[in-house]
Amino acid sequence: MKKYALVLAAGKGTRMRTEMPKCAFPILKKPMISYIVENIEKSSIDEICVIVGHKKDVIEEILGDRVTYAIQSQQLGTGHAVLSAAPQLADKEGVTFILPGDMPLMEYPLMDKLMRSHEEMGNDLTVVTMSMDYPKGYGRIVRNEYGIVTGIVEENDCNEAQKLIKEVNSSVYIVNNKLLFEYVKKIQKNDRKGEYYLTDIVNLMHQEHKVNTFMVRNPMVTMGINDLFGISVAEKYLRESINKGHMLSGVSIVNPETVTIGHNVIIEEAVWIYPNTTIMGNSVIKKGAIIGPNTEIVDSVIHEKAEIRHSIVLDSIVHENTTVGPFAHLRNHAEIGKNNRIGNFVEVKKSTTGEGTKAAHLIYLGDATIGKNVNFGCGSVTVNYDGVKKHQTVIGDDVFVGCNVNLVAPVTVGDRVFIAAGSTVTQDIPKGAMAIARNRQINKEDYAKHFIKPKEDK
Ligand code: UD1
Ligand code: CA
């Protein structure tokens, strides 16, 4: 039996009070809709159709051609949204898994479990429900005297008794595809709101077809996000569950409530993460690395036993046993070799270093290819920008760069070169040379008195 997913993402998300369409809003820096689509891709579902409408370009830009799209040009409700997928789906045999685009926390094993249950029970429609102590805002599940589900009533259409019902609609449905499109056509406009409610399908189908519910145990995973407070609740839940997953697989996280790790980050065992640390994007942290405190890492790879403290690492690679920080900034494809030391107030941009190199204090390295065992004195700088273009600096192995040296690029420094402190290097330096490029010192005897008041005799 073919399985289809239909994701409803055409709504405005008025309650969010943001410009961005709700389903594109990020949680841990990743759009809500991406969580949903990634999980569907991992499940047993064969095809994904996303219903878009309001600011559809934004959603299409995020998902690209991973999914097919159906367009709901006017937002006339969830029932109407499903109907707009009729041209693609209506005549197909199979089962359709309907998901709202504002429910990012459901993971694929649960999706598969729900579909298996639907099949095993022989249902035509399964409504996924949850029990909420505070059900405000959700549609209530209404049952007859035999306990059979007969309808869903939206909060604003509830009578006082219905308002007390704790079992609510998650907006996830598993339904025989042909029946779905047969019945969704029959939905009438809700008088109060002027919208076509998908929830009405329960009432329309239950007399002639097998309609059942499946109550999920953890209502957090089926939480619908409608406003920015909901975003923060989901973000907290996701952060805690990601951190817990890492801790259970051997990562030590100190003060985990201050540590944020993105959904796609890979962390190997025996890693330590200290407080106030954020690791996002497609970062990989290898065995035994030490990260934090106060560190931000995005889209970077930190190799075995490297240590990154009080620092920022963006789009970069740090190799084994290297220490970075405190207060270092690696960015734009910096690649730091093994056993390096990148210390206080050092910025490295689009540069590579060989094994054993040290840049310990107040240094800028940009657009440079640096060899092994190079030692940068305090304050040395690659002068890579002439106001118009960026230029390359190439430094060989075993080079000693004295304090406050300017390497004006383009410039090449050979192996085993020694550059005297304070030099402004504008020409290439051959292998083995010592370079000194500064004015000689002059001492003017007895001249300081013009600047310094003589000490008064007591
Ligand atoms: C919906 C359900 C409610 C359920 C709740 C669970 C209806 C009428 N109500 O309410 O029973 O308890 O979800 O979270 O279905 N959308 C469109 N086109 C539209 C309208 C909405 O694509 O014309 C999309 C939205 O982008 C959103 C999803 O459908 O992703 C749900 O819409 P939303 O307005 O959030 O529904 P709720 O009021 O939360
Ligand atoms: Ca919602």
Side-chain angles (χ1 to χ4, degrees):
M1 181 95 69
K2 252 203 149 176
K3 293 175 189 154
Y4 304 96
L6 204 50
V7 185
L8 277 56
K12 288 202 181 85
T14 317
R15 289 165 282 183
M16 292 284 284
R17 295 171 181 270
T18 59
E19 279 288 299
M20 195 182 281
K22 175 165 74 173
C23 305
F25 205 87
I27 298 185
L28 299 186
K29 300 209 172 148
K30 183 154 111 177
M32 247 195 265
I33 192 81
S34 301
Y35 288 95
I36 298 170
V37 168
E38 277 177 25
N39 274 295
I40 298 173
E41 284 172 339
K42 289 184 193 157
S43 77
S44 59
I45 289 166
D46 303 292
E47 281 177 32
I48 312 173
C49 176
V50 178
I51 298 162
V52 291
H54 175 71
K55 296 206 173 159
K56 69 182 183 34
D57 303 353
V58 180
I59 307 280
E60 288 178 0
E61 162 108 40
I62 293 168
L63 298 175
D65 53 13
R66 294 162 80 169
V67 301
T68 58
Y69 299 95
I71 294 165
Q72 186 198 20
S73 36
Q74 256 186 306
Q75 280 64 63
L76 297 177
T78 47
H80 180 261
V82 169
L83 197 58
S84 47
Q88 284 103 315
L89 272 183
D91 56 355
K92 294 197 173 163
E93 297 283 349
V95 169
T96 298
F97 192 92
I98 301 175
L99 279 147
D102 62 356
M103 201 200 74
L105 300 179
M106 182 184 281
E107 306 223 34
Y108 67 95
L110 181 56
M111 294 178 179
D112 282 335
K113 186 174 168 186
L114 294 169
M115 284 183 286
R116 271 199 311 276
S117 154
H118 174 84
E119 213 172 301
E120 282 163 16
M121 303 276 292
N123 293 344
D124 294 310
L125 167 63
T126 306
V127 179
V128 179
T129 69
M130 68 269 203
S131 173
M132 303 282 274
D133 287 338
Y134 186 63
K136 198 166 189 293
Y138 288 96
R140 310 298 204 275
I141 304 295
V142 178
R143 293 174 185 274
N144 65 17
E145 67 264 43
Y146 308 108
I148 290 168
V149 54
T150 57
I152 300 173
V153 186
E154 290 304 292
E155 168 97 16
N156 289 330
D157 300 321
C158 279
N159 59 36
E160 287 310 308
Q162 288 167 334
K163 273 195 183 150
L164 299 175
I165 298 172
K166 289 188 171 174
E167 188 186 9
V168 300
N169 171 28
S170 71
S171 254
V172 174
Y173 314 83
I174 299 121
V175 51
N176 172 300
N177 187 63
K178 285 225 160 139
L179 289 178
L180 170 66
F181 286 96
E182 186 187 324
Y183 280 89
V184 89
K185 275 194 277 190
K186 298 183 182 171
I187 294 173
Q188 303 283 314
K189 208 184 241 182
N190 174 289
D191 288 338
R192 188 183 49 80
K193 220 169 165 212
E195 285 187 359
Y196 298 84
Y197 286 173
L198 181 57
T199 47
D200 287 351
I201 201 174
V202 174
N203 186 267
L204 292 169
M205 278 180 76
H206 86 274
Q207 273 168 355
E208 289 169 58
H209 300 283
K210 192 167 175 191
V211 177
N212 238 317
T213 55
F214 184 112
M215 189 186 277
V216 296
R217 243 180 285 155
N218 178 1
M220 278 307 296
V221 302
T222 43
M223 171 190 153
I225 295 171
N226 296 320
D227 50 33
L228 290 176
F229 178 69
I231 291 279
S232 79
V233 173
E235 192 158 272
K236 182 168 190 281
Y237 176 84
L238 194 61
R239 176 161 35 80
E240 284 172 0
S241 71
I242 290 172
N243 286 356
K244 183 177 172 189
H246 288 299
M247 288 188 267
L248 296 182
S249 52
V251 176
S252 300
I253 306 183
V254 179
N255 223 343
E257 56 278 24
T258 68
V259 171
T260 305
I261 300 168
H263 200 238
N264 297 355
V265 172
I266 297 169
I267 308 183
E268 296 183 355
E269 61 193 46
V271 164
W272 279 82
I273 299 173
Y274 286 97
N276 299 323
T277 291
T278 301
I279 309 173
M280 302 304 273
N282 292 314
S283 295
V284 179
I285 314 292
K286 302 261 191 178
K287 256 189 185 173
I290 299 175
I291 313 293
N294 304 320
T295 290
E296 181 184 1
I297 296 177
V298 183
D299 291 324
S300 295
V301 181
I302 311 299
H303 282 270
E304 287 82 351
K305 294 188 175 158
E307 192 176 332
I308 320 284
R309 297 168 56 227
H310 301 274
S311 291
I312 297 176
V313 181
L314 312 174
D315 288 311
S316 293
I317 301 172
V318 176
H319 286 279
E320 288 99 289
N321 289 314
T322 283
T323 64
V324 174
F327 316 114
H329 184 187
L330 312 183
R331 64 185 178 94
N332 198 347
H333 308 292
E335 183 166 356
I336 310 298
K338 289 183 194 174
N339 296 314
N340 277 216
R341 179 168 165 219
I342 304 294
N344 317 254
F345 306 103
V346 174
E347 178 177 348
V348 185
K349 184 219 101 178
K350 220 180 190 174
S351 297
T352 60
T353 68
E355 197 173 336
T357 286
K358 292 185 176 63
H361 349 256
L362 302 161
I363 290 157
Y364 173 64
L365 303 174
D367 304 299
T369 306
I370 298 155
K372 289 187 273 188
N373 298 317
V374 174
N375 188 79
F376 288 95
C378 180
S380 38
V381 168
T382 55
V383 183
N384 62 329
Y385 187 48
D386 60 11
V388 183
K389 269 189 181 164
K390 302 276 166 69
H391 300 281
Q392 295 289 320
T393 300
V394 179
I395 300 175
D397 296 337
D398 305 304
V399 171
F400 184 92
V401 181
C403 288
N404 275 324
V405 164
N406 296 311
L407 295 155
V408 181
V411 69
T412 298
V413 176
D415 294 342
R416 292 190 309 283
V417 157
F418 185 99
I419 307 173
S423 294
T424 290
V425 176
T426 54
Q427 294 161 27
D428 292 353
I429 309 172
K431 187 173 166 182
M434 176 196 165
I436 177 159
R438 55 169 140 91
N439 280 349
R440 270 183 189 283
Q441 183 169 331
I442 304 165
N443 290 342
K444 295 190 176 179
E445 295 282 335
D446 208 25
Y447 202 79
K449 62 178 181 233
H450 296 293
F451 307 100
I452 301 170
K453 257 193 181 165
K455 266 192 181 157
E456 280 168 29
D457 292 332
K458 283 188 183 147

